[in-house]
Amino acid sequence: MITLTLGRPRLTTGLDEHERVDHDTHVRLHGELPKMTADDLITLTELGALPGRGGAGFPFARKLRSVLRSALRRRAPARVVVNAVEGEPGSAKDRMLLERLPHLVLDGAELAAHALGAPEVVVGIADRAPSGADDDPVRESLRAAVAERRSALGLRLVQMPHRFVSGQSGALVQGINGGPPVPPGQPRRTSENGVAGLPTLLSNAETYAHAALLALGGAYQYASVGTADQPGTVLLTVGGSVVVEAPAGTPLVQVLHMCDTAPGQAVLVGGYHGAWLSPDVADRVRLSHAEVADAGGTLGAGVVLPLPRTTCPLGEVARVLRYLAGESAGQCGPCLRGLPALAESFSALVTGESGPEPALAAAAVGEGRGACAHPDGSALFARSALAVFGEDVSEHAREGGCGRPVSGLLPLADGSTDRRTRLSLDWSRCDGHGLCAELLPDLIRLDRNGYPEDQRVTVPDALAADAELAVRMCPALALRLSSQG
C-alpha cells in the first residue's frame, strides 16, 4: 500500500519517517488528547463542519447530538463503534489508518466515548486481510495499540465477513450483537437502537481520525486548508491501492497526476455505489462532497478509479455488476432478482445483443424498495455508466463489440474474477411440477402454464444451498448448476 500527501500532511503526519506511528511518537507529533464534554465535542465538530467519511457524508455533530439525546431520554449508557470493515474493494484508506496510524483513530473514538459516557470502544474490521493472508497487519496493529495506550477505556475488536454489504452500518451492528452480519430488513437508527439495543455512535475510521485532529489542534488550525463548506483534508484511494491525503477542494486531475495516471475513458468516484465522471467533468471537478455532487457524482468513501482506454468499459461495468449481484444479503426481491437482471442486461450490452432500454429498465431495481441501500447504490453505478459510455453502447450494438478486451482493471474482493453460479433449465425434461418455484420463490417464477419463465438465472451466494436442493429435488432432473467466469 502506497501513501502520498498533497500539501502539508494532517492525518498522515509522521508517515514520512515511520512505517507505523506508535503511541509515544503520536503524542510527540500531536500532543496529549484532551477530555471534552459532549456539548464541547458537538460544538467543536460543528465548527469543523465535519462530515462522515464512510459514504453518506452525514454531519458528525448531528450524529453526536442524536446519540446524546437518546441516551439522556432513555437514561441509558451510549456505545461507540468504529466502522473499519471497508467492504468496498476499491478502498484502502481505513485499513491504512488502523495499520499505520491507529492512535489517531483511537483518540477520536476515545474522545467520543468519554464525552458520551461509553464504557468501551468497539472496532469492526474485516475477518481477513484483502490478500487472504491469515496474519492481518490491522489486527496486529490494534492489539499493539491497546498495549501502548494503557487506557482505562475498554477496546473490543469485532471481525466481520469480508463482503461488500458487511460495511453497512446496520450489518455491523447486527454482527456486533451476535446476529447475521447483514443489513437489517428494515431501516433503524443506530443513534436510538444500536449495540445491545442502546444509543450508538457509529462512524468510520477516517471520521474519528478527523475528530481527533480537531480536538488536538483546534478548529482554526483544522480549517486552514480545505473549502468553506468542508474544511480539512480528505483521504482518497486511487486505483485501489494508493492512498492520498489532499485538502478538500483539490482538483481531481491534480490527484490523478500525482498518482501518474489520467482520467482515461472516465473516472469512477465513490466506489461501486458511486458514479462515473466523463473526462471533461473529471478535468474540472474538485474533491469535496458538495462539488462532486454538483457534478452528478458522489464522493462517498473517497474511492477514485480511473479507467484506461485499453479496456472495454461496458465489460468492466458488467463484471462489477455481476460481483455486486453475488454480494447481496439475499433479503429482498430487488437484490435477489433485480441485481442479477441488471447484470445480465449489461452482459447483453457487451455482446451487442440488446440496446440500452433493457438496462435502463433493469436499473430501476431499487427506487427505495430494497431492504438496504445495496440495490439503489448498484443502480446508480449502472445508470451513470449508461450515461457516460453512451457511445460505447451504440458501437457495441452496431459491431457486436468495441474490439477491446475486458482486462479486469476494476478491483474486486480479494482479486477475484466475476465467477457466477447459474441455474439452468432443460426445457426438454421439464414437466411443470412447480417444485423449483416452491423451493426458490425469489428466483423462479412460473408462467400461466406452470413452467418457469426463465431458462437461466444467476444464483446469489445467499441462495446457493437452496439452489442445490432444488437441483436434487427436481422430479424430472431438469435443473443443473454451473459456474461461469
Side-chain angles (χ1 to χ4, degrees):
M1 184 191 309
I2 300 172
T3 304
L4 304 174
T5 304
L6 266 172
R8 183 180 177 184
R10 298 294 190 84
L11 296 171
T12 55
T13 298
L15 293 187
D16 56 338
E17 298 180 355
H18 305 274
E19 182 63 24
R20 177 185 177 274
V21 176
D22 62 22
H23 191 251
D24 288 343
T25 305
H26 169 77
V27 172
R28 178 173 56 81
L29 292 171
H30 294 287
E32 292 283 354
L33 182 69
K35 289 186 178 181
M36 305 181 73
T37 66
D39 288 338
D40 287 342
L41 184 56
I42 289 169
T43 299
L44 180 66
T45 51
E46 280 181 333
L47 288 172
L50 176 60
R53 304 301 174 93
F58 193 81
F60 187 65
R62 287 174 60 186
K63 276 190 180 182
L64 274 167
R65 183 178 285 109
S66 181
V67 173
L68 180 62
R69 286 175 177 170
S70 295
L72 292 174
R73 183 178 67 251
R74 294 175 55 183
R75 297 182 180 179
R79 292 292 184 266
V80 172
V81 176
V82 179
N83 186 353
V85 177
E86 210 162 32
E88 173 77 55
S91 183
K93 64 183 181 67
D94 289 340
R95 168 166 287 272
M96 184 278 293
L97 283 171
L98 291 183
E99 183 177 331
R100 304 188 65 188
L101 298 156
H103 296 287
L104 200 58
V105 177
L106 295 180
D107 267 6
E110 185 170 320
L111 190 73
H114 281 304
L116 294 170
E120 65 174 0
V121 169
V122 182
V123 181
I125 64 170
D127 61 3
R128 65 183 185 275
S131 64
D134 293 331
D135 296 331
D136 186 357
V138 167
R139 190 166 56 243
E140 298 307 314
S141 176
L142 284 171
R143 287 173 177 168
V146 171
E148 292 166 359
R149 293 177 74 83
R150 300 180 294 277
S151 172
L153 192 69
L155 180 89
R156 180 155 56 107
L157 194 60
V158 175
Q159 295 177 294
M160 295 281 285
H162 193 225
R163 297 192 58 202
F164 191 88
V165 296
S166 296
Q168 293 196 23
S169 60
L172 178 54
V173 167
Q174 291 211 144
I176 294 170
N177 287 337
V182 296
Q186 295 181 341
R188 67 184 182 195
R189 293 183 177 181
T190 58
S191 61
E192 299 176 0
N193 181 15
V195 174
L198 296 169
T200 299
L201 178 68
L202 190 153
S203 281
N204 83 314
E206 185 190 348
T207 308
Y208 285 109
H210 281 286
L213 282 184
L214 270 165
L216 291 164
Y220 180 79
Q221 178 181 332
Y222 185 81
S224 62
V225 299
T227 68
D229 293 335
Q230 187 174 332
T233 62
V234 295
L235 280 183
L236 310 162
T237 310
V238 182
S241 60
V242 180
V243 178
V244 178
E245 182 182 18
T250 297
L252 172 59
V253 290
Q254 188 175 350
V255 172
L256 295 177
H257 291 163
M258 185 180 192
C259 298
D260 294 324
T261 188
Q265 300 181 73
V267 183
L268 180 65
V269 178
Y272 297 151
H273 281 179
W276 290 97
L277 302 181
S278 63
D280 61 316
V281 173
D283 278 341
R284 64 175 185 269
V285 74
R286 295 176 180 271
L287 291 164
S288 71
H289 285 280
E291 294 195 44
V292 174
D294 288 344
T298 172
L299 186 59
V303 175
V304 176
L305 294 170
L307 191 66
R309 299 186 182 278
T310 54
T311 190
C312 171
L314 298 181
E316 294 281 353
V317 171
R319 63 187 285 274
V320 171
L321 287 173
R322 290 193 289 267
Y323 160 74
L324 293 174
E327 288 291 294
S328 82
Q331 298 186 110
C332 62
C335 268
L336 284 172
R337 294 189 63 87
L339 291 183
L342 181 59
E344 292 300 325
S345 71
F346 266 78
S347 295
L349 282 178
V350 175
T351 58
E353 296 176 26
S354 74
E357 292 78 12
L360 282 169
V365 53
E367 296 184 341
R369 300 191 304 269
C372 69
H374 191 49
D376 285 335
S378 303
L380 171 64
F381 169 75
R383 285 195 300 269
S384 72
L386 291 172
V388 171
F389 301 123
E391 293 184 6
D392 294 273
V393 172
S394 299
E395 184 179 3
H396 278 250
R398 291 193 312 269
E399 309 294 336
C402 62
R404 287 170 287 181
V406 181
S407 303
L409 299 181
L410 296 179
L412 301 183
D414 296 337
S416 62
T417 59
D418 52 309
R419 293 185 296 272
R420 295 168 287 166
T421 300
R422 300 287 293 274
L423 182 67
S424 302
L425 171 70
D426 186 342
W427 289 114
S428 66
R429 289 178 176 269
C430 182
D431 291 329
H433 292 90
L435 179 60
C436 57
E438 294 180 19
L439 295 172
L440 292 166
D442 292 306
L443 284 184
I444 297 178
R445 295 176 182 171
L446 303 180
D447 62 22
R448 61 183 181 181
N449 297 314
Y451 291 88
E453 292 180 347
D454 302 316
Q455 185 176 1
R456 292 188 303 273
V457 293
T458 301
V459 181
D461 291 345
L463 293 183
D466 292 337
E468 291 176 1
L469 178 62
V471 170
R472 294 196 302 268
M473 296 290 290
C474 177
L477 303 178
L479 297 174
R480 69 174 185 272
L481 286 171
S482 60
S483 295
Q484 297 186 5

